[in-house]
Amino acid sequence: MSEATRIEENVTCLGCGCACDDIAVVIAGARIREARNACTLGVRWFGDGSLPGAISGGRSAAIEDVLREIASLLRSARAPLVYLAPDLTCEAQGAAIAIADQLRAFVDGVTSSTSADGILAAQRRGRASATLGEIRNRADVVVFWAVDPAASYPRFQSRYAPNPVGVYLPQGRRDRTVIAVDVGAQRGPADADVRIQMTAEEEQLFLASLRASLAGRALGNQSIAARVTELATRLNKARYSVVVTDAESPPSVPSGRADSLIALTQSLNATTRCSLCSLRAGGNRNGADTVLTWHTGFPMAVDFSRGAPRYTPGNAAGARLAHGDCDAALIVGNTNAIPTVVREALGATRIVVIGPRASESTLSAQIRIDTGVAGIHESGMSLRLDDIPLPVRAVLPTPRDTASLLDALGSAIAAQGASA
Ligand code: SF4
């Protein structure tokens, strides 16, 4: 190995919500050459670490002037939007939310388009959750409900469940029963011990019948009775079961699933132990929800226009933009991960992008400032999919630090307010 090569150990990957913190990043010539231990998704997320460092679209090349220009653009808006895209540290998310507060803007992020059902259901019902460590150490029955983590959360099974040895599962996989629940084309892992299949149309009836069976009530619908009884029996016999579901649901998933799975896992705690594990995609999405909750009490879709935070999950960024209710948008983070519904609704809105590869974004933004990726070029805090905080650290220099830049933008906005 040449002298110029260095290895950063125990780096956290934000390629998906698993946030694996055992990655060894090999760097040579200011490029990432290898991300050891990372899955293919993680290797892709790290890439080679190269980034543009441009500032484009402003009337001046000096960053102070560009920040003043952005401040003026946002302050002149009737109804500004601050949008949190992925790949930000919690510190950068906090700085962006502070700007939304200053501007009396509407603040939202990708969660409203991808994971709102599960969050709203948990707010209605509460939620029996667990850390991934608890699942790893205790879960002897693992139910994958319409999800195979192999595609989007590739190391979930090897790091958390069912494969690893746990405190109460000394033989690892051999001590656990894996149940795949296939709902239509959404299939669980191929190597499950038990497979239960249903059509998408049957799912809600199946879940209602499962809860009825667990409560000791007779099942009316004989077409699903045998499958319901089998799953109910296995869940009841478990010392500790976990139901794993994909919180990043495609639009085709019926909205009742999240609510029914919460109800199921809660009712199982009357007789045994059960938790619900909601898988989230990468880029510190749980961080965005949590930091927004710290600031406002709400995890998404927060309206500051009345001077105090107001929760409007039924009128999120996509809908507001589509109705022409936002006339300027500050988008912070990786614009490649913005859901199509929001991307298309941005239309003719005046846009400022601050984030990694902002200068290459396909959004028609007036001003773009390149910054770094959380966990590759920028240090700070992130949250794993179970809301456990994990530090991330820069292994390469950033073109400019997102949180510091947003703090400076906040100061520019405040200065213009004071002089107005
Ligand atoms: S499972 Fe997720 S967090 Fe872990 S290495 Fe793969 S992409 Fe990164």
Side-chain angles (χ1 to χ4, degrees):
M1 202 169 278
S2 77
E3 276 181 19
T5 299
R6 64 187 164 93
I7 301 177
E8 298 278 349
E9 303 280 357
N10 301 320
V11 174
T12 300
C13 172
L14 297 183
C16 77
C18 290
C20 300
D21 55 359
D22 62 345
I23 311 300
V25 179
V26 181
I27 296 163
R31 292 282 180 272
I32 295 174
R33 304 296 173 184
E34 204 180 334
R36 293 179 187 159
N37 294 335
C39 65
T40 50
L41 187 59
V43 167
R44 211 162 48 235
W45 181 78
F46 279 104
D48 70 359
S50 60
L51 274 183
I55 299 173
S56 63
R59 286 192 287 271
S60 159
I63 189 70
E64 296 78 13
D65 293 339
V66 176
L67 289 179
R68 276 195 288 273
E69 195 178 335
I70 296 172
S72 164
L73 184 154
L74 293 173
R75 274 177 40 79
S76 70
R78 173 184 47 83
L81 164 71
V82 174
Y83 193 84
L84 304 172
D87 286 340
L88 299 171
T89 61
C90 291
E91 289 80 355
Q93 291 160 347
I97 293 161
I99 288 174
D101 195 350
Q102 267 181 300
L103 293 168
R104 295 195 171 198
F106 181 68
V107 58
D108 205 356
V110 293
T111 295
S112 275
S113 305
T114 60
S115 308
D117 282 345
I119 288 175
L120 293 172
Q123 288 172 334
R124 281 194 300 271
R125 288 184 175 273
R127 187 165 163 243
S129 64
T131 64
L132 293 174
E134 180 165 323
I135 290 165
R136 174 187 172 121
N137 285 317
R138 293 182 186 276
D140 60 332
V141 172
V142 183
V143 180
F144 288 100
W145 195 282
V147 62
D148 181 354
S152 301
Y153 313 92
R155 295 181 75 208
F156 181 89
Q157 286 160 287
S158 61
R159 273 176 67 83
Y160 305 119
N163 297 353
V165 165
V167 172
Y168 301 103
L169 302 128
Q171 299 186 89
R173 176 68 178 86
R174 276 181 292 158
D175 280 337
R176 307 189 207 246
T177 302
V178 176
I179 302 174
V181 176
D182 300 339
V183 180
Q186 296 179 312
R187 295 175 61 81
D191 62 350
D193 304 307
V194 178
R195 183 164 295 279
I196 292 176
Q197 296 180 306
M198 67 192 76
T199 63
E201 293 71 32
E202 283 178 324
E203 185 181 23
Q204 283 305 312
L205 176 62
F206 188 96
L207 280 162
S209 303
L210 186 54
R211 285 174 62 205
S213 172
L214 291 167
R217 292 199 292 275
L219 298 176
N221 191 316
Q222 292 309 307
S223 68
I224 60 172
R227 288 172 284 165
V228 167
T229 302
E230 176 174 10
L231 186 53
T233 304
R234 289 184 179 275
L235 289 170
N236 252 335
K237 281 186 181 164
R239 285 200 316 269
Y240 188 120
S241 58
V242 58
V243 178
V244 182
T245 180
D246 192 351
E248 306 284 343
S249 301
S252 57
V253 171
S255 59
R257 177 184 292 168
D259 196 84
S260 298
L261 289 178
I262 285 177
L264 168 67
T265 48
Q266 284 176 330
S267 60
L268 274 162
N269 281 286
T271 51
T272 176
R273 300 280 306 280
C274 179
S275 62
L276 181 66
C277 176
S278 302
L279 302 173
R280 293 295 305 271
N284 195 23
R285 291 168 195 235
N286 284 57
D289 306 349
T290 302
V291 175
L292 192 50
T293 304
W294 292 340
H295 282 250
T296 68
F298 310 112
M300 57 187 174
V302 177
D303 187 350
F304 283 107
S305 63
R306 293 184 188 170
R310 198 158 51 98
Y311 192 33
T312 66
N315 189 18
R320 283 175 183 249
L321 287 163
H323 292 141
D325 292 342
C326 298
D327 57 344
L330 170 63
I331 298 177
V332 188
N334 176 2
T335 61
N336 290 334
I338 296 177
T340 309
V341 62
V342 173
R343 177 178 291 277
E344 289 176 351
L346 277 164
T349 312
R350 291 177 295 161
I351 299 170
V352 173
V353 180
I354 295 176
R357 298 192 175 81
S359 60
E360 297 171 353
S361 170
T362 55
L363 294 176
S364 59
Q366 264 94 335
I367 302 176
R368 307 147 184 263
I369 303 180
D370 288 327
T371 62
V373 178
I376 300 177
H377 314 91
E378 299 192 359
S379 302
M381 194 55 69
S382 70
L383 268 73
R384 204 167 61 184
L385 64 84
D386 55 350
D387 290 333
I388 293 294
L390 290 173
V392 292
R393 73 175 195 273
V395 296
L396 289 172
T398 182
R400 51 191 68 77
D401 180 74
T402 315
S404 307
L405 188 72
L406 291 170
D407 284 341
L409 177 57
S411 298
I413 292 168
Q416 290 188 7
S419 64

